[in-house]
Amino acid sequence: MGNLAEIRGDRERRSRGGRAGRVALAAVLLAATAAVGLLPACSGETPDPAGLPAYDETLQEKLPVLETGRVAENDRMALDWNREAACILLLDKGSGQVWSSIPYDYLTSDWFNPDENYILSSSLVMTYVEPVNEQVKVMNSYYGTTLKGRIRVEPVPGGLRMTYYFDLVKISIPVEYTLLDGGLSARIDASGIVEADGNRVLQVDLLPFLASAPNDTDSWLFVPSGSGMLMHTDSYVRPTREYSGEVYGEDPCATVLLKTRNEAAIRLPVFGVRNQGRVLLGIAADGADSAVIMARAGEMNSGYSNVYAG
């Protein structure tokens, strides 16, 4: 068994029909010959808006950001921070393998350019609802926060805390990354999310490219459809394949007007990736009943296939 990286997150729920209102999740990542596990943790209650701080509208160019370097380590693992790329890196000391929020081979390549491939540089993707007509929109952390220097990064015991400030919609989301014995915990602090001007967070996808692999390599994604399904990373033979499934099946309280495919319900809250011989496996735990597992195979715009939970 390889290393364990655990990502945890508090999730706030709002009733907008079905399972809308997923705000965070948690995951377990097992590197080397192991797997990644995603563990959503649920707060169970919606924070009282009156008890939340006002949105930080500071107009300074840069927020406090931790310098590049090692932020935590133990006998098996190390957690590093890259300030220039706004990227966390998880090192397996035994094998020397690295998993990172930006695909590591891309991060260390000569063609690394976040402006051209911004989605790979986004460690968080937020879906939110506008107050006018309740339109649902998506914003990634690279253009929404990183490019503008609107990420606050500060040390916490065993790791770091990142707060993403989406100034355009006046929403801020705090995330804590802490090293565990053989793993990583990434926890979205739902009680610390700040919303203003009527905008409301609907869903947060954390570390969407941590479990990823380059297209057209000896790699595959694992999704828990039925007894399990592998999605190969070829991009030239077939168009992009997408998968999205609610853990433990659809909400029985939701009204389904149209189904375009017949799929078995997810019975085991797991997902994973094999990236050319190394494996990452995710296991959803607390709050898994509100999690959605998503995957894209052979996606040509980014050049990567990825699987994650939201």
Side-chain angles (χ1 to χ4, degrees):
M1 181 76 62
N3 325 358
L4 169 67
E6 176 185 60
I7 302 177
R8 294 185 177 276
D10 295 330
R11 186 180 51 266
E12 170 188 352
R13 250 189 234 179
R14 289 186 179 82
S15 178
R16 295 187 183 274
R19 296 196 182 185
R22 304 175 193 90
V23 171
L25 55 139
V28 175
L29 313 175
L30 304 171
T33 55
V36 181
L38 191 112
L39 314 177
C42 182
S43 63
E45 296 182 0
T46 299
D48 180 6
L52 295 178
Y55 182 77
D56 181 0
E57 298 187 66
T58 304
L59 298 179
Q60 59 189 6
E61 288 188 6
K62 300 289 184 181
L63 291 165
V65 178
L66 197 66
E67 293 295 331
T68 294
R70 182 146 298 173
V71 295
E73 65 180 319
N74 54 41
D75 292 340
R76 297 176 56 191
M77 310 289 292
L79 178 63
D80 295 332
W81 163 250
N82 183 319
R83 174 175 177 168
E84 182 178 359
C87 173
I88 62 166
L89 303 97
L90 182 66
L91 168 67
D92 175 351
K93 291 183 175 181
S95 66
Q97 295 178 349
V98 178
W99 296 91
S100 58
S101 55
I102 301 174
Y104 188 65
D105 52 349
Y106 173 63
L107 176 66
T108 56
S109 69
D110 294 335
W111 57 88
F112 173 63
N113 186 336
D115 288 333
E116 291 185 359
N117 210 337
Y118 60 87
I119 193 62
L120 293 180
S121 297
S122 297
S123 58
L124 182 149
V125 177
M126 174 186 68
T127 303
Y128 67 99
V129 180
E130 288 187 331
V132 179
N133 299 324
E134 293 201 342
Q135 292 185 349
V136 177
K137 295 190 175 181
V138 177
M139 187 173 293
N140 66 76
S141 63
Y142 179 72
Y143 276 129
T145 64
T146 306
L147 193 61
K148 303 173 183 178
R150 295 292 288 165
I151 293 183
R152 183 190 300 271
V153 184
E154 49 199 344
V156 297
L160 54 86
R161 179 183 176 92
M162 297 176 62
T163 303
Y164 301 80
Y165 291 90
F166 294 89
D167 286 345
L168 185 63
V169 293
K170 295 186 179 179
I171 291 174
S172 60
I173 301 174
V175 181
E176 287 191 1
Y177 300 96
T178 53
L179 197 65
L180 304 176
D181 183 17
L184 173 71
S185 170
R187 186 180 73 88
I188 298 177
D189 180 9
S191 65
I193 292 176
V194 178
E195 305 162 317
D197 289 356
N199 296 301
R200 294 292 178 261
V201 179
L202 183 65
Q203 179 170 318
V204 175
D205 301 332
L206 185 60
L207 303 176
F209 281 91
L210 185 64
S212 64
N215 290 342
D216 304 300
T217 59
D218 183 19
S219 306
W220 42 253
L221 309 177
F222 166 71
V223 295
S225 177
S227 59
M229 178 176 68
L230 301 183
M231 302 174 67
H232 293 275
T233 63
D234 57 276
S235 63
Y236 294 106
V237 178
R238 297 172 288 176
T240 301
R241 286 84 63 203
E242 296 187 355
Y243 172 84
S244 176
E246 297 184 61
V247 175
Y248 304 132
E250 298 173 344
D251 189 334
C253 296
T255 300
V256 179
L257 301 178
L258 176 66
K259 294 188 69 172
T260 59
R261 56 190 178 184
N262 185 21
E263 290 183 340
I266 295 177
R267 301 304 182 192
L268 295 176
V270 296
F271 65 91
V273 60
R274 179 187 187 274
N275 183 350
Q276 305 173 82
R278 58 194 187 117
V279 177
L280 201 63
L281 170 70
I283 306 171
D286 299 337
D289 60 321
S290 294
V292 177
I293 294 176
M294 292 163 281
R296 297 186 191 92
E299 207 283 314
M300 296 190 68
N301 290 330
S302 67
Y304 280 79
S305 302
N306 63 314
V307 59
Y308 58 100

